[in-house]
Every structure is written in C-alpha cells, then in structure tokens.
Amino acid sequence: KKRGVREHLDGVDAANLWQPVSYCCTATSGLCSFWQWAGASVASTSARSTPDNRPARETGQRGKRLRGGAAKIMTGRAAPTPPQASPRDVAVDDEQQTPRHGLVYRVGSKRKDEDRAVAGEHVTCGGERFAYFAIFDGHGGKDAADRCQATLHDQISRRAPDSSKATDALSEGLRRACWELDEDLGSAHVDAGTTATILCIGRSTATLGWVGDSTALVVDMTSPKPAWATPKHNPQNPSEVARMKAEWGARREFLLYESPDGEDQAYNEAMDAFTATYEKRLADHFRAQNLPPLRPNLIRDSMRRETLINDRCDRVNTMRRKQSFEAVTKFGKVVSGQDMDATIDMKRHDSNFTRRTSPEDGRPRGPVVVGANWRGRRPGTTVGGASTCVTRSIGDWDASRAVIPEPETRTWETSNVFDRVVLASDGLWDLVSFDQAAVCMRSVDDPQKAAQLLLKRAKSESARRGYSGLKDDTTILVVDINPKGLAVTETAQGCAC
C-alpha cells in the first residue's frame, strides 16, 4: 500500500497539489482522514461510496483513483502526511473558501457501513452562501442516508423561500427539504431511515439543524465554560414523548371528528379544520406543562404524511421491509412471510413506547424504543412494525407514524467567537461523554487531529467495555468557526485520549 501511494504521488504534478481534494469513506479503508491542503481553494470534501458501496478505485491501480486530473480519492490505511494548511481559519466571505474541518470514519463490528457525511459543500439561501457540513446515520439500510448525502444540500437551496433574512430562509429551506426527501423515499418504497445533523456557516452566523440522535456538540475554544449539545430526538426526551402522544391522540380524535355545523366536508378540509382546533388546545397543554411549543401546523403536516403512507399501503398492499417477507422463527414458532404481510390504515395502526425483546426468550431488553403494531390481513393477527430508537428521522415509513422528519434548528452569531463544532453519530456518543469530548477538542489546534483523538478515545472505551472494535459505525466531523483566526494552545492536559 505504501508503494502504491508513493507511486501515485510521484506521478502527480506539483501544481496539482494546490487544487481542491476530496476523499472517500469506504468500508475497506476503515478510517477516512481528511487533510485540508493549502492553496487558493480550500478542499470541498464529501464522504462518499460508489453506488454499490465498494471502494472507489481504478482497475489495476490499488489505493488511488484520479478524477478530472486534480481530484483524488485515496484508500488504504497508510498515507504520507501532505502539506498542512495554515493553522488559522478564514471567514466565509470568499465563496471559494471553507472553514477548517476534519473527518474520520470507522465501520463498526457489525459491518453495516450505514453512516454518511458531507463536508465543504455550499447552500444558497436568501441571497447568502453558506458552507455546508452534514452527517447521516442510516438504519434499516443505506438507501436513505445515501439519498440525503447526495441531494439534501441541493434541495435546501431549491426549497428555501425568498426572505429578507438569510437565516430564516435557511431554516425554512432545511425544513421543507427534509419533508420533501421523506416523501420521495416513501413514495419510492425505500423504508430505510436516517438521522441528519447539518451545520451551515455564513458570513456572521452559524445554524445547526438536526433530526434524530446524531448529536452536535459546540465547544467555545476561548473559555472553559461548558459546551452545549443538541438535544436528542429519542424516547428519553420528555418533549418528544409529549409530542408523539399528542400526535397519536390527534389521530384517534380525528377518526371521530364531525363538522361543527354538521355539513359534509372534503377530507383535507376536515383535516385542516380539526387540526386548527386541536393545535390550539395542544398549545395550552404544552404551556401548562412547561414544554416547548410545537411549530404551527406540525400536527396537520404529520397527519397529511399519514395519508400518503395509507395511500401507498392501498397500492402495494404491504408496509414491510424486505427481510420481513422471509420465513423467520420467533419464540420457537415459524412465521411465514404471508402471515407477516399487512394491509394497514390509520384505524389499524397502533404505536407505543416499548422495549425490544430477546430472540432467545422473548424478554424485554435494551433501551426504550418507539414500537409500531399493525393488524394483519388475516383476522386476529398482529404484525410488528419497525421499532426505532429515534422519534424523528427521514424515511422509516414502516415505523410509527409519529416518527417525523421535522428538524429542530438553532442559529447563533459567530462574528466574535471561536467555536469548534463536533458532528458525530451515536457510535461516538455511546462511548464518549460531552465533557470528555470538549477536553479533547481544547487540547489540539488542528480539527483533523481533534477528530482522530475522539476516535481514539472511542476505541479505547470500546475495548475497556469488552467489545471487539467499535460496536457501531462511527463518523466524526469537526468544524472550526474562527473568523478572527484565534490560536489554540496545544496541550494534552485532562484529555483521556
């Protein structure tokens, strides 16, 4: 491998070393490292795989592939260290420049390879250009994460409304894009799902948007104050539990809804009238419980999504993932794919918070998840839907109907800050605490080294717990927001890495 890399570098013109470089995360490479090479343009990086998820490579050229002359994809565990970029960051005033960042990726011991990442792309909203970074943690397959990786940033730019305030246009564009992608996936019979955590950096602001439990951690590099993290969308979040119960209650009440004046209404008209009244009562309830308010029309959008799912069920007569059609053994009884098939609608669908059961003895185990049950086509049969550890995701049409693609967003000023943002899948956060991560972030200047430190810390903790390698796919993307070019004093003090 070293010889292949050396031959590759010997054959590259020196001038091309100053061009944008992109790298690839693949299952065989294990660790995908990104270096930002100095020059007139800063690298635009995406964690990509080939369509069939095999390593990208030229036939007969192990460990390298050239695209368009200067763009290079490198695989293999060993590679020479390229020239390091300046240790100072840049403001996003120049469209060709991207904030410093580092990316590492490791496939877990289960070999799922369902994480995806994008770094260094751009979106344009409200007349302002934003640097775009994102990670996606797929589940139930790779298709949803692949689709988000390839198209989400383009859809944000396309769906952003005309607005006098660029950050408002960005937040609304992200919301619309997530819902649109969810509908595209479900309509195409892609029942896999994915989390999404997005960071967009503009001239003087940064915006985080997230769906699911892939947490973003923001570390103030100029002070020892605690870092803050995005709340997870999972059954351990009281706000999410209240929201899901409210949506389940809306479905039950709507089935009994009658027009106040007794007149017949079209389905959509009846839904709009019902949700307008229901959301007013819900706002009062959330206020009394000191819970954050829901977005206006969120219940309506969620119920319209249910209608799309029901229409698909009527067309294809099933809502099961591919593996569910195969014969399985459950608690000693063989259940055929035909018995597991289901025709479902809102009246036949029930969701609840539950715990997954052991395949050996049927006893509950693991964390609380969102379960889904459907009535089977045969009388008296019940079909278990996909259970999810998240309460929001893009995709997952065969899961609970209240698992929605609605992103939360947060925007803050960045003119006078030096923040280091960590976007990571739960493969990291299941092993490393926020405090440990913050200490590692403050110990080095280079964001690539910081990402590698976090990966090393996760591997160490995984070994301490007795796992063979990392239990889950782990993606770590570290981005510096440092318009004034402030320095970091490198020290390993307190960093258990």
Side-chain angles (χ1 to χ4, degrees):
K1 293 182 180 178
K2 292 181 179 178
R3 183 168 58 255
V5 172
R6 190 180 302 112
E7 293 172 354
H8 164 63
L9 291 178
D10 290 342
V12 176
D13 187 87
N16 285 336
L17 295 178
W18 300 86
Q19 301 300 320
V21 181
S22 59
Y23 293 85
C24 174
C25 291
T26 65
T28 58
S29 65
L31 174 65
C32 171
S33 299
F34 170 85
W35 297 281
Q36 186 177 24
W37 290 28
S41 300
V42 182
S44 173
T45 308
S46 296
R48 296 189 179 99
S49 298
T50 54
D52 57 353
N53 294 305
R54 293 176 300 174
R57 60 173 56 134
E58 287 279 314
T59 303
Q61 295 189 27
R62 186 178 181 86
K64 63 178 179 177
R65 178 178 177 182
L66 301 183
R67 289 182 177 176
K72 305 170 183 65
I73 294 180
M74 302 177 64
T75 62
R77 303 178 65 181
T81 303
Q84 296 298 309
S86 168
R88 301 283 61 80
D89 205 347
V90 294
V92 193
D93 294 322
D94 188 339
E95 293 184 354
Q96 300 300 320
Q97 292 183 324
T98 301
R100 287 196 313 157
H101 52 282
L103 171 65
V104 294
Y105 173 59
R106 175 76 71 181
V107 177
S109 58
K110 297 180 181 179
R111 312 306 296 175
K112 291 184 177 180
D113 190 21
E114 294 175 337
D115 281 10
R116 298 292 182 268
V118 179
E121 295 287 352
H122 290 83
V123 297
T124 302
C125 303
E128 183 174 344
R129 189 176 173 91
F130 295 85
Y132 171 90
F133 303 87
I135 64 166
F136 308 99
D137 184 357
H139 47 264
K142 309 175 183 179
D143 294 341
D146 284 339
R147 184 76 67 87
C148 287
Q149 179 199 44
T151 65
L152 182 59
H153 56 286
D154 290 332
Q155 288 185 267
I156 292 174
S157 298
R158 186 173 65 254
R159 299 291 288 148
D162 294 331
S163 174
S164 58
K165 192 172 182 181
T167 53
D168 292 343
L170 173 62
S171 297
E172 181 63 16
L174 173 60
R175 186 191 68 80
R176 293 179 180 179
C178 288
W179 282 84
E180 183 178 279
L181 259 176
D182 177 85
E183 182 177 342
D184 292 344
L185 289 168
S187 300
H189 300 185
V190 176
D191 293 323
T194 183
T195 69
T197 304
I198 297 100
L199 172 66
C200 295
I201 305 173
R203 288 188 291 268
S204 60
T205 62
T207 297
L208 270 171
W210 65 99
V211 178
D213 61 355
S214 296
T215 304
L217 180 72
V218 181
V219 181
D220 186 344
M221 300 293 285
T222 62
S223 74
K225 69 180 182 181
W228 61 270
T230 55
K232 296 181 179 181
H233 296 146
N234 62 18
Q236 288 72 45
N237 185 333
S239 298
E240 284 297 286
V241 171
R243 177 191 63 79
M244 297 194 79
K245 289 182 176 180
E247 293 188 27
W248 295 336
R251 182 189 309 123
R252 291 191 295 267
E253 288 194 26
F254 181 61
L255 294 173
L256 304 175
Y257 173 75
E258 294 183 1
S259 174
D261 53 13
E263 296 182 359
D264 292 336
Q265 290 180 303
Y267 184 83
N268 287 337
E269 292 179 357
M271 182 182 294
D272 290 343
F274 165 76
T275 54
T277 303
Y278 186 82
E279 288 184 351
K280 288 181 180 179
R281 291 192 287 116
L282 197 61
D284 295 335
H285 172 72
F286 272 54
R287 192 179 304 110
Q289 299 295 322
N290 292 321
L291 294 172
L294 300 179
R295 174 179 64 82
N297 298 323
L298 178 62
I299 300 297
R300 183 200 63 187
D301 292 344
S302 177
M303 294 185 67
R304 286 184 174 177
R305 178 175 179 266
E306 291 187 9
T307 304
L308 296 175
I309 297 176
N310 294 335
D311 291 342
R312 176 186 152 183
C313 293
D314 292 339
R315 292 196 310 273
V316 301
N317 208 30
T318 187
M319 205 58 185
R320 294 297 303 166
R321 299 190 181 185
K322 181 178 180 181
Q323 59 266 32
S324 299
F325 291 105
E326 302 172 358
V328 298
T329 302
K330 188 174 183 180
F331 313 143
K333 179 182 178 182
V334 176
V335 182
S336 69
Q338 185 178 6
D339 291 329
M340 298 184 72
D341 200 1
T343 301
I344 54 176
D345 55 25
M346 286 194 293
K347 294 181 181 179
R348 293 186 165 202
H349 183 275
D350 299 307
S351 299
N352 63 334
F353 295 104
T354 184
R355 294 176 66 191
R356 290 172 177 161
T357 56
S358 168
E360 290 81 15
D361 54 17
R363 293 183 179 180
R365 68 174 185 180
V368 175
V369 298
V370 183
N373 294 307
W374 309 320
R375 295 180 189 176
R377 184 181 305 159
R378 298 182 181 183
T381 61
T382 300
V383 179
S387 62
T388 60
C389 295
V390 293
T391 55
R392 303 191 192 191
S393 71
I394 300 174
D396 285 323
W397 272 31
D398 60 347
S400 171
R401 306 297 176 81
V403 177
I404 58 175
E406 177 77 8
E408 278 193 76
T409 60
R410 177 169 176 176
T411 300
W412 71 101
E413 292 290 330
T414 60
S415 300
N416 299 303
V417 304
F418 180 8
D419 288 338
R420 177 164 286 175
V421 184
V422 183
L423 312 179
S425 58
D426 57 356
L428 173 71
W429 302 123
D430 288 345
L431 298 169
V432 179
S433 70
F434 295 150
D435 288 341
Q436 291 171 333
V439 171
C440 288
M441 290 301 97
R442 291 180 172 126
S443 66
V444 293
D445 181 82
D446 181 20
Q448 178 63 33
K449 292 181 180 179
Q452 292 169 342
L453 277 178
L454 284 181
L455 180 64
K456 183 179 179 181
R457 180 69 182 88
K459 291 168 64 177
S460 175
E461 178 62 20
S462 181
R464 189 188 70 81
R465 297 185 187 184
Y467 298 127
S468 177
L470 292 169
K471 186 177 180 181
D472 197 4
D473 297 341
T474 304
T475 301
I476 306 169
L477 176 57
V478 178
V479 185
D480 278 357
I481 306 175
N482 185 19
K484 289 192 172 182
L486 302 178
V488 176
T489 301
E490 295 197 9
T491 173
Q493 182 179 0
C495 182
C497 300

